[in-house]
Amino acid sequence: MAKCSVCGKPAVYVAKYEGKAYCAEHFDKWFDRRVRKTIRKYRMFGKREHIVVAVSGGKDSLAALHYMKRLSERVPGWTVEALLIDEGIQGYRPITVKDFKRWAEEWEVPYKIASFKEEIGATLDKIVMKGHELCLPYQPCSYCGVFRRYLLNRVAREMGATVLVTGHNLDDEIQTFLMNIMRHDVDRLARLGPVTGVSEHDGFVRRVKIFYEIPEKEVVVYSMIHGFFPEFVECPYARLGFRWDLRHYINLLEEKYPGTKYMILKSLLDIKESLKKDRYGEPRRCKICGEPATGEVCRACELRMLLGLMEPPEWFDVKKIKI
Ligand code: SF4
Ligand code: ZN
């Protein structure tokens, strides 16, 4: 059994890419040091912040909430709230909502829950059915991602957030990066990064990923050490997404060639930097709902019109929507 590189006690985690192992106590310290370093490096927070943590009820976002609550206790100018988006996914969301409420209450974090049903006009399950009926070419995760991002921004802003924290980790980020490359979606690639939504587009709450440089496995170890490992339930749509396969292949590569994930992240940051300058357009607002948009109308409004969840205004031609 591996021994902790710091104190020699039995290790709970081996960081292959670093050639080191850690016991629970030293893992926690090492984890905390690296997250704080990430926060400093990308200048994620100021002295006074109203922090809203986007929580899905899964381990990553619960870990982000736990971590931010702990950290905020050391910073007098910070307040922390949580926001959960209920997409309306049967057999999955109700269980994670239960977990979320339990932990938020235990950690004494105020929270808000916003649902697709009330805010968008239908649950994700309904949206997926409608999409099939209308023969729209989207996977469930595509609707889910667009509407979730839209709601997180709008509701966090309404909650008075100065910054929105998400639980995205290193694995999530490089998966999204490679997915955008494979789909030739360079615009979206330019919008990746540890901090987004900073003043380029008015109306966006600044979004930060505190686990940007932390692999998924280590977030799992963090939640186990702190005893809040949530009940494992998988979204029934997860396996239909491209991300599912990609995740598997990247993990195989990392196993065989430790350090691969960090190298991909470094490439992402370099490419993004050079793209940023010419890819960001003028800040715009959706002409229908007023939320930030890259075109005349935001993607959430486009999808709602395509799904028949919203009447198009007279001046708008639905056929113009890029499918
Ligand atoms: Fe939404 Fe897809 Fe995640 Fe399920 S797996 S919650 S559908 S993004
Ligand atoms: Zn809109």
Side-chain angles (χ1 to χ4, degrees):
M1 190 192 227
K3 296 218 163 110
C4 175
S5 315
V6 185
C7 70
K9 282 191 201 149
V12 294
Y13 182 71
V14 180
K16 268 198 189 170
Y17 58 88
E18 227 197 36
K20 291 205 172 137
Y22 297 97
C23 68
E25 185 197 336
H26 289 111
F27 176 91
D28 196 41
K29 289 200 169 123
W30 175 64
F31 184 93
D32 179 46
R33 244 190 347 262
R34 285 158 65 235
V35 179
R36 278 191 289 126
K37 192 174 148 208
T38 309
I39 290 175
R40 272 198 312 274
K41 181 167 153 193
Y42 299 109
R43 300 204 180 112
M44 292 186 171
F45 304 104
K47 284 204 178 102
R48 301 192 67 80
E49 299 279 10
H50 182 52
I51 300 162
V52 171
V53 182
V55 184
S56 68
K59 58 176 182 350
D60 299 329
S61 55
L62 274 181
L65 183 61
H66 181 270
Y67 187 88
M68 285 315 299
K69 175 69 184 167
R70 250 175 114 195
L71 190 60
S72 71
E73 278 157 8
R74 294 187 246 158
V75 188
W78 289 5
T79 43
V80 175
E81 268 190 273
L83 167 61
L84 179 132
I85 306 295
D86 177 357
E87 304 90 350
I89 306 172
Q90 252 202 11
Y92 165 68
R93 195 38 95 201
I95 300 170
T96 52
V97 167
K98 206 178 82 207
D99 257 332
F100 163 68
K101 285 186 175 167
R102 178 182 155 208
W103 294 113
E105 276 155 24
E106 185 160 332
W107 301 332
E108 297 175 343
V109 181
Y111 62 83
K112 183 171 170 76
I113 298 182
S115 73
F116 275 21
K117 192 170 172 205
E118 274 172 34
E119 309 288 341
I120 303 293
T123 61
L124 183 67
D125 290 339
K126 265 244 173 74
I127 290 172
V128 171
M129 261 161 46
K130 266 183 188 273
H132 273 306
E133 281 164 22
L134 295 164
C135 298
L136 296 176
Y138 307 114
Q139 297 283 5
C141 296
S142 308
Y143 300 115
C144 189
V146 169
F147 292 135
R148 185 160 11 90
R149 269 194 304 278
Y150 174 87
L151 275 187
L152 277 177
N153 188 63
R154 211 194 73 201
V155 180
R157 204 181 56 225
E158 288 163 5
M159 288 165 81
T162 53
V163 57
L164 180 68
V165 171
T166 67
H168 290 106
N169 55 47
L170 166 72
D171 292 64
D172 296 321
E173 185 78 351
I174 60 174
Q175 284 158 18
T176 310
F177 170 57
L178 293 177
M179 275 163 67
N180 291 336
I181 290 207
M182 290 178 190
R183 289 174 170 163
H184 187 207
D185 195 343
V186 183
D187 281 326
R188 205 166 291 166
L189 198 151
R191 279 182 256 136
L192 281 173
V195 179
T196 50
V198 199
S199 70
E200 282 105 346
H201 288 67
D202 194 21
F204 269 127
V205 176
R206 181 163 44 94
R207 239 175 233 225
V208 303
K209 299 170 184 162
I210 56 168
F211 298 148
Y212 196 71
E213 298 193 351
I214 311 285
E216 185 179 9
K217 258 196 203 162
E218 293 170 16
V219 180
V220 175
V221 176
Y222 177 84
S223 55
M224 284 169 132
I225 286 177
H226 289 282
F228 61 87
F229 202 70
E231 192 174 332
F232 181 76
V233 268
E234 186 181 283
C235 172
Y237 301 119
R239 287 171 192 246
L240 300 176
F242 190 34
R243 188 181 286 275
W244 182 266
D245 293 312
L246 198 56
R247 178 172 176 232
H248 171 70
Y249 294 123
I250 299 173
N251 281 339
L252 282 180
L253 283 172
E254 176 69 28
E255 196 54 41
K256 206 166 166 191
Y257 310 103
T260 300
K261 290 182 182 176
Y262 278 112
M263 286 304 154
I264 301 178
L265 190 75
K266 281 191 171 160
S267 305
L268 185 171
L269 288 168
D270 284 354
I271 295 174
K272 181 188 144 55
E273 208 31 56
S274 40
L275 278 175
K276 210 165 92 187
K277 292 159 199 125
D278 36 277
R279 282 276 170 175
Y280 273 124
E282 282 294 299
R284 297 179 83 164
R285 291 284 189 150
C286 170
K287 277 197 181 160
I288 299 179
C289 71
E291 288 297 306
T294 44
E296 177 174 51
V297 165
C298 78
R299 192 65 183 146
C301 283
E302 283 186 351
L303 284 181
R304 285 171 83 188
M305 289 189 278
L306 282 175
L307 288 158
L309 294 173
M310 185 167 91
E311 276 300 314
E314 260 170 39
W315 52 266
F316 188 81
D317 180 5
V318 182
K319 288 193 212 90
K320 273 195 338 205
I321 297 176
K322 210 172 96 194
I323 299 203

